[in-house]
Amino acid sequence: MAQPSFSTKALVLRKTALGESDLILTLLGEDGSQVRAVAKGARKPQSANSSRLELFSEVTVHCAQGKNLATITDTKLLSAHEPLRWSPERTAVASVLAELLSKTTQPDLAHTQLFAASSRAFQALEEATEEKLVALCAAATIKTLSFVGFRPSLNRCVGCGDVVVPQHGVRFSAEEGGVVCPRCRAHLETIAVSPEAITWAQTLLGSTYDTLLTLPGKIALSFEVLRLLQSLIRIHVGSSLRSLDFLFASGLF
């Protein structure tokens, strides 16, 4: 009996070597769920899939459904996103989004807006000038966390729900997932964050990529937002993003 098959648009998030010539691919499917599939012979230089299944590429894949992993039977390249692999700066920021997506998505768990948002994020990272890459990385990170259920509260106290106006001495609780008012600080574990970073995080979350591409990069503030998000990821996803740790230590920006 023939195996059931399916087709989906997908973003390539991760590649793992299997045997002498195969790859296990972690993909973001068009419905926002994770797809894990084997691409047989994809590591051979003469394989068509060796160029179509590069990291960050957008593809249409046809797969035969297996018991544990699907097997890719055909691939159509939609967008190679080649500039994301041409420079260490673009590769570093794109890797943060790819790793976050691979850690926060699951098979058969759809997030209807996630694929389109992630595809646009990769495109924005491809289009942006270098000084805006960190801001776009922070925007992609906070937007992705919001899509998968970890949206941070940036204007209301996570303890009591009161509005928190960014001012000197803003506190943030990674465990509770948002800002904390002065009255609730004594009861929650918090870290200090500048009011400018909270305001910038609100802008990154609420603005489209088209708008963000026109705004100043604010590299220092964007790194502060990313460190805040890393603390949130560590608690709620269960581990830090290695790609984000690399970005902090790399000195690329």
Side-chain angles (χ1 to χ4, degrees):
M1 181 181 295
Q3 292 176 302
S5 62
F6 66 92
S7 298
T8 182
K9 289 183 181 178
L11 291 166
V12 181
L13 306 178
R14 184 180 180 187
K15 304 196 301 184
T16 304
L18 177 66
E20 294 185 358
S21 61
D22 301 341
L23 283 173
I24 296 176
L25 296 166
T26 301
L27 309 168
L28 178 68
E30 190 173 10
D31 66 352
S33 67
Q34 186 178 119
V35 177
R36 297 188 76 238
V38 174
K40 294 187 179 297
R43 292 163 60 207
K44 295 179 179 178
Q46 67 271 28
S47 170
N49 282 335
S50 65
S51 59
R52 295 173 186 169
L53 294 172
E54 294 284 0
L55 284 176
F56 319 132
S57 294
E58 184 171 335
V59 296
T60 296
V61 290
H62 302 275
C63 301
Q65 184 65 62
K67 184 176 181 181
N68 296 312
L69 296 172
T71 298
I72 294 175
T73 57
D74 189 34
T75 307
K76 179 182 179 181
L77 182 63
L78 301 177
S79 178
H81 292 307
E82 288 182 350
L84 300 183
R85 300 185 294 276
W86 285 350
S87 73
E89 292 82 7
R90 292 183 197 277
T91 300
V93 293
S95 294
V96 173
L97 177 56
E99 184 182 0
L100 180 60
L101 288 167
S102 69
K103 285 191 172 183
T104 56
T105 56
Q106 300 177 38
D108 302 319
L109 180 60
H111 299 284
T112 54
Q113 295 176 294
L114 188 58
F115 179 85
S118 301
S119 176
R120 181 65 184 102
F122 281 135
Q123 183 183 0
L125 290 172
E126 182 178 331
E127 297 171 352
T129 55
E130 187 172 304
E131 64 270 18
K132 297 181 181 182
L133 290 176
V134 179
L136 289 168
C137 177
T141 301
I142 196 170
K143 290 175 186 293
T144 298
L145 287 171
S146 299
F147 281 127
V148 299
F150 301 123
R151 182 188 180 103
S153 177
L154 299 173
N155 61 356
R156 288 191 175 273
C157 174
V158 292
C160 65
D162 283 354
V163 173
V164 176
V165 179
Q167 57 186 350
H168 180 70
V170 178
R171 307 293 296 188
F172 185 91
S173 170
E175 289 80 3
E176 299 300 324
V179 294
V180 178
C181 72
R183 189 172 61 252
C184 293
R185 290 178 190 174
H187 312 294
L188 297 172
E189 183 177 346
T190 63
I191 56 176
V193 58
S194 72
E196 294 83 5
I198 293 297
T199 300
W200 185 230
Q202 292 171 339
T203 298
L204 295 174
L205 179 58
S207 302
T208 66
Y209 287 109
D210 286 342
T211 298
L212 292 171
L213 285 167
T214 70
L215 298 181
K218 299 187 179 182
I219 293 176
L221 280 181
S222 298
F223 269 121
E224 187 176 354
V225 171
L226 281 170
R227 292 185 187 280
L228 195 69
L229 297 175
Q230 180 78 305
S231 69
L232 194 71
I233 291 165
R234 189 178 297 114
I235 295 294
H236 295 280
V237 178
S239 65
S240 299
L241 299 184
R242 291 184 179 182
S243 53
L244 198 45
D245 286 336
F246 171 81
L247 186 62
F248 294 148
S250 67
L252 289 171
F253 298 95

